[in-house]
Amino acid sequence: MPFLFFTLQLFAQQRQRVGVVLSGGGASGVAHVGVLKALEQHQIPIDYIVGTSAGALVGAMYACGYSPEEIEAYVLSESFQLMVKGQEEADQQFLFYQDASSASMFNFTVSQDSILQKSLPLAFVDPTYLDFEMLKIFGRTSVSVQDDFNQLFVPYRCVASAVETKKSVAFAQGKLNQVVRASMTFPLYLNPIRIDGVLYFDGGLYNNFPIDVLYNDFQPDFIIGSNVSKNLPPVSERDFLGLLTSMMTTPTNYAMPCAEGIIIEPNTKVGTFDFADVQQAIQDGYLAATAQMADILKYVNARADSAELAQKRQLFKEQLIALRINEVRSSSDKRQDLPFVRNSILPKYSKQVLDQAELEKRYFKTLSASYFSFVSPVLERGLDSAIILKLKVNKANAFRVDFGGLMSSRAINTGYLSLAYRRAGYVGQRLEVASYFGKFYGSGKINYELVIPGSVPVSLSAYLVLNRWDYFKSFATFFEDVKPSFLVQEERYTGLQLKIPTGNHAVLTANTRMFWLDDSYYQTANFTKEDTADYTSFIGESIRVAFTQNTLNRKQFASSGSFFEFKASYVRGKELTYPGSTSIIDDTISKNHKWLSIQLELLSFPFQKKQKVNFGLHFKSVLNSQSLFANYTASMLALPGLNVLPDLDTYFIAAYRSTQYACLGTQLIVSPFKNIDLRLDAYAFLPIIQLVLNPDGTFTYAKPLDGRSILTAGHVIYHSPVGPVRATLNYLPKYAQPFQFQLSFGYLLFNERAIR
């Protein structure tokens, strides 16, 4: 009799099958990890698993053989946080494709064939990093089981919502990374994706607790549900987002369809998008499952031995095929969209085989180009145990419009507008027309760039730039009357540029250009509107080679990362100087000039304490063999000016110009609150060779280091989503009015100078 009872009990244990269903819920859905963790610790077997939205991600990872501890480690990792924010790791950024720094504060794109309908953004989050993470986590497993979810470590179903038919779809097969991505695609947070021609959104829209899918597909003996969601309460007619969500979603039945089951409802306060608090969600899920474990143990009499389960997981993972990519193909009908991406990752006739590390490196390099909105990747089994990477390339809207500039309490207000057209086929092309406009600074630029793709891409550019600086008592406030301009600089230059990357964060550029410089100026402060200015023109050509390495976190007022740049330039040209009514000379002067200039700059933030206190070091040096122009002012105008403080570009201060100088400074940044910096910059300026104006109007060289100076700036900066808002007090002891205060909003950035 005891033997018979034991046999019947063993038979019952073998036949009892347990299914788990995981609801949606965004960040609160991470509580499912804690639930799975508690179930495994109490040796509750999981024979089937079904999930939607956040539950689809957690469930798919479990179905692929990830233990609850491994899933927990992932959702607590930096990779997960970057994924949900639409960001990428610093090492994956590619300087080569980044636009030149400009005063742009925000932008929007416009479709070529529909100005409004296809130009409105569909998502707040860039999906590039998320799509590749899904490929890394699920792609190899999906290929290994031939895209059959019944062959996973735990049989699995993923629920998504078909947009056009407004139906809930349960996937039993397909590209696992793709269907999980579809199930997580919350409207306006992520863009929808197509699978086999059908457009899918978040699975929680029509079925946020797919217990019916688990029951109908697997018919388990016992169901364990983990639910962190509920149907929406009545919506106010003034609640736009609530009304929109209500229109898009269908109420879900959160009840158990049979008596053989139990629902765990973690009481978590973690919100849908509070991904920074996922540790709390996991803990809430674990506690909720533990609290109901006694009831679960009453009904589930089978046990899953922990050591045996770990061994099975290890065996399942060992049987997965290795990730070795030997071919890149298109997964859409628009095959003409693929060549640029394919030739950047793995050219068609290449014999290379990419492992995961090399694939990841090339993938993010390629997609950092502005030609693409997103790319949907999947894997397919090829010949000889290799894997084919199939990509559906979605090009960015053809036109991009940028707005920006600077609003200041000083009379240096400047607007910025740019229109760019970009397209990629076998090569990438970008045509940009940009303009700065304001009384102090005006500029126009036309730039055409051609990019030849490859594992090491090459950029060729042709450009035309017009610059104009008008120094009209530029220290005046916006409300003061200003005197007539005492100095106007105009530049025109055109040239060609070759650019190649020398690493993810470094580029090597070579420039050749022709320039036409016109300077109009007074050499005395005592002039009237009737006086005529001196005029100097300088026409010539230059060649420049530069190496730049940049990991700074911002294009202006950075607080972390580093910047290194080395430039070597050769300039030659002809000067013509015409005297004005206040000049000390009477005759036109013609001179030929040629010189070599070397510039070195280093900015680094080596010390950082919990992101609250940053300390930076900044060094800049210029060695210039420039010959003297016809007069003191013309010579100073041709020299490079000190611009270690952004506001220095808005002043003409002769004492901070030198043919050869070194400047060393420190930057102390305290961040008491998020996006708010209290900043103190202090610099020592050491002119090696400097010009000095004599009382009679002639000029000579000063003694080395004779014009040395200390200059400082204190800032209170709020880094808004579109640009810095700051209050600044500059101390410039060599200026007529050493203390200069200003309020400003925006970026103080200009087009590149011709030679200075």
Side-chain angles (χ1 to χ4, degrees), residues 73 96 145 194 199 233 239 246 254 329 368 372 381 441 444 461 532 534 561 589 625 688 729:
F96 176 83
V145 299
R194 287 192 183 275
L199 196 64
D239 183 359
S246 181
Y254 291 102
R329 293 181 186 172
S368 62
F372 314 105
R381 190 189 291 263
Y441 176 66
S461 301
T532 59
D534 288 44
I589 296 177
S625 63
I688 301 169
L729 179 63

Short mmCIF file of all heavy atoms in Angstrom, two decimals, residues 73 96 145 194 199 233 239 246 254 329 368 372 381 441 444 461 532 534 561 589 625 688 729:
data_model
loop_
_atom_site.label_atom_id
_atom_site.label_comp_id
_atom_site.label_asym_id
_atom_site.label_seq_id
_atom_site.Cartn_x
_atom_site.Cartn_y
_atom_site.Cartn_z
N ALA A 73 20.33 41.03 -12.54
CA ALA A 73 21.60 41.72 -12.80
C ALA A 73 21.51 42.58 -14.05
O ALA A 73 22.06 43.69 -14.11
CB ALA A 73 22.73 40.70 -12.93
N PHE A 96 33.16 60.66 -35.85
CA PHE A 96 33.26 60.91 -37.28
C PHE A 96 31.93 61.41 -37.85
O PHE A 96 31.91 62.30 -38.71
CB PHE A 96 33.68 59.62 -37.99
CG PHE A 96 33.72 59.71 -39.48
CD1 PHE A 96 34.82 60.23 -40.14
CD2 PHE A 96 32.65 59.25 -40.24
CE1 PHE A 96 34.86 60.30 -41.52
CE2 PHE A 96 32.67 59.32 -41.63
CZ PHE A 96 33.78 59.85 -42.27
N VAL A 145 16.94 27.71 -32.01
CA VAL A 145 15.73 26.88 -31.90
C VAL A 145 14.86 27.02 -33.14
O VAL A 145 13.69 26.63 -33.13
CB VAL A 145 14.93 27.24 -30.63
CG1 VAL A 145 15.76 27.01 -29.38
CG2 VAL A 145 14.40 28.67 -30.69
N ARG A 194 7.21 46.67 -38.03
CA ARG A 194 6.46 45.73 -38.85
C ARG A 194 7.08 44.34 -38.77
O ARG A 194 8.30 44.20 -38.84
CB ARG A 194 6.42 46.19 -40.31
CG ARG A 194 5.52 47.37 -40.55
CD ARG A 194 5.29 47.61 -42.03
NE ARG A 194 4.46 48.79 -42.22
CZ ARG A 194 3.13 48.79 -42.19
NH1 ARG A 194 2.49 47.64 -42.00
NH2 ARG A 194 2.44 49.90 -42.36
N LEU A 199 1.90 45.93 -38.73
CA LEU A 199 2.44 46.93 -37.82
C LEU A 199 2.00 46.61 -36.40
O LEU A 199 0.80 46.43 -36.14
CB LEU A 199 1.95 48.31 -38.23
CG LEU A 199 2.68 49.53 -37.65
CD1 LEU A 199 4.13 49.56 -38.12
CD2 LEU A 199 1.96 50.81 -38.06
N PRO A 233 -8.89 54.22 -14.67
CA PRO A 233 -10.08 54.81 -14.04
C PRO A 233 -10.75 55.76 -15.03
O PRO A 233 -10.19 56.06 -16.09
CB PRO A 233 -9.48 55.56 -12.84
CG PRO A 233 -8.09 55.91 -13.28
CD PRO A 233 -7.64 54.76 -14.14
N ASP A 239 -7.82 65.77 -19.54
CA ASP A 239 -6.58 64.98 -19.45
C ASP A 239 -6.24 64.43 -20.83
O ASP A 239 -6.74 63.38 -21.24
CB ASP A 239 -6.76 63.84 -18.45
CG ASP A 239 -5.50 63.01 -18.25
OD1 ASP A 239 -4.47 63.31 -18.92
OD2 ASP A 239 -5.54 62.06 -17.46
N SER A 246 -6.73 56.08 -23.18
CA SER A 246 -8.01 55.40 -23.10
C SER A 246 -8.52 55.00 -24.48
O SER A 246 -9.09 53.91 -24.66
CB SER A 246 -9.03 56.31 -22.40
OG SER A 246 -10.28 55.66 -22.29
N TYR A 254 -8.55 40.80 -15.66
CA TYR A 254 -7.44 40.38 -14.81
C TYR A 254 -7.84 39.21 -13.89
O TYR A 254 -7.10 38.88 -12.96
CB TYR A 254 -6.96 41.55 -13.95
CG TYR A 254 -6.26 42.63 -14.76
CD1 TYR A 254 -6.93 43.80 -15.09
CD2 TYR A 254 -4.96 42.47 -15.19
CE1 TYR A 254 -6.31 44.79 -15.83
CE2 TYR A 254 -4.32 43.44 -15.93
CZ TYR A 254 -5.00 44.61 -16.25
OH TYR A 254 -4.37 45.58 -16.99
N ARG A 329 22.15 41.13 -45.16
CA ARG A 329 21.13 41.21 -46.20
C ARG A 329 20.02 42.15 -45.78
O ARG A 329 19.90 42.54 -44.61
CB ARG A 329 20.52 39.82 -46.47
CG ARG A 329 21.46 38.81 -47.08
CD ARG A 329 20.70 37.51 -47.32
NE ARG A 329 21.58 36.44 -47.78
CZ ARG A 329 21.20 35.18 -47.93
NH1 ARG A 329 19.94 34.85 -47.64
NH2 ARG A 329 22.05 34.25 -48.35
N SER A 368 25.24 55.68 -36.15
CA SER A 368 25.42 57.03 -35.62
C SER A 368 25.35 58.07 -36.73
O SER A 368 25.28 59.27 -36.45
CB SER A 368 26.76 57.14 -34.88
OG SER A 368 27.84 56.89 -35.76
N PHE A 372 19.72 57.67 -40.93
CA PHE A 372 18.76 56.63 -40.58
C PHE A 372 17.97 57.02 -39.33
O PHE A 372 18.52 57.59 -38.39
CB PHE A 372 19.48 55.30 -40.33
CG PHE A 372 20.50 54.98 -41.39
CD1 PHE A 372 21.85 55.12 -41.15
CD2 PHE A 372 20.10 54.59 -42.66
CE1 PHE A 372 22.79 54.86 -42.13
CE2 PHE A 372 21.02 54.32 -43.65
CZ PHE A 372 22.37 54.45 -43.39
N ARG A 381 19.83 31.71 -39.85
CA ARG A 381 20.88 30.70 -39.99
C ARG A 381 21.36 30.63 -41.43
O ARG A 381 20.56 30.59 -42.37
CB ARG A 381 20.37 29.33 -39.54
CG ARG A 381 21.48 28.28 -39.42
CD ARG A 381 20.87 26.90 -39.21
NE ARG A 381 20.25 26.78 -37.90
CZ ARG A 381 20.87 26.24 -36.84
NH1 ARG A 381 22.10 25.80 -36.95
NH2 ARG A 381 20.24 26.15 -35.69
N TYR A 441 27.40 89.38 -34.94
CA TYR A 441 27.94 88.31 -35.78
C TYR A 441 26.90 87.87 -36.79
O TYR A 441 25.74 87.64 -36.46
CB TYR A 441 28.36 87.11 -34.92
CG TYR A 441 28.84 85.91 -35.71
CD1 TYR A 441 30.01 85.98 -36.46
CD2 TYR A 441 28.12 84.72 -35.71
CE1 TYR A 441 30.45 84.88 -37.19
CE2 TYR A 441 28.56 83.62 -36.43
CZ TYR A 441 29.72 83.71 -37.17
OH TYR A 441 30.16 82.61 -37.89
N GLY A 444 27.08 82.97 -43.19
CA GLY A 444 26.38 82.04 -44.06
C GLY A 444 27.32 80.92 -44.45
O GLY A 444 28.53 81.15 -44.63
N SER A 461 34.44 66.83 -48.27
CA SER A 461 33.53 67.97 -48.16
C SER A 461 34.03 69.13 -49.01
O SER A 461 35.24 69.36 -49.13
CB SER A 461 33.40 68.44 -46.71
OG SER A 461 32.92 67.42 -45.89
N THR A 532 36.93 108.19 -42.02
CA THR A 532 37.01 106.93 -42.76
C THR A 532 37.97 105.99 -42.06
O THR A 532 38.98 106.41 -41.50
CB THR A 532 37.47 107.16 -44.20
OG1 THR A 532 38.76 107.79 -44.18
CG2 THR A 532 36.49 108.04 -44.96
N ASP A 534 40.63 102.73 -41.57
CA ASP A 534 41.69 102.01 -42.27
C ASP A 534 41.10 100.70 -42.80
O ASP A 534 40.15 100.15 -42.23
CB ASP A 534 42.84 101.70 -41.32
CG ASP A 534 43.63 102.95 -40.97
OD1 ASP A 534 43.01 104.00 -40.68
OD2 ASP A 534 44.85 102.87 -40.97
N GLY A 561 34.51 64.00 -19.30
CA GLY A 561 35.11 63.60 -20.56
C GLY A 561 36.43 64.32 -20.80
O GLY A 561 37.03 64.90 -19.89
N ILE A 589 50.01 100.12 -48.48
CA ILE A 589 51.12 99.20 -48.22
C ILE A 589 50.73 97.82 -48.74
O ILE A 589 49.63 97.32 -48.49
CB ILE A 589 51.45 99.14 -46.73
CG1 ILE A 589 51.96 100.50 -46.25
CG2 ILE A 589 52.49 98.05 -46.45
CD1 ILE A 589 52.26 100.54 -44.76
N SER A 625 54.60 81.60 -36.54
CA SER A 625 55.74 82.35 -37.13
C SER A 625 55.26 83.50 -37.99
O SER A 625 55.96 83.95 -38.90
CB SER A 625 56.58 81.39 -37.97
OG SER A 625 55.84 80.88 -39.06
N ILE A 688 54.23 84.48 -25.00
CA ILE A 688 55.67 84.30 -25.22
C ILE A 688 56.21 85.41 -26.10
O ILE A 688 57.25 86.01 -25.81
CB ILE A 688 55.92 82.91 -25.86
CG1 ILE A 688 55.39 81.81 -24.93
CG2 ILE A 688 57.41 82.70 -26.14
CD1 ILE A 688 55.36 80.44 -25.56
N LEU A 729 29.82 86.13 -14.53
CA LEU A 729 30.64 87.29 -14.21
C LEU A 729 32.06 86.99 -14.66
O LEU A 729 32.72 86.11 -14.11
CB LEU A 729 30.61 87.59 -12.71
CG LEU A 729 31.47 88.79 -12.26
CD1 LEU A 729 30.96 90.08 -12.88
CD2 LEU A 729 31.50 88.90 -10.73
#
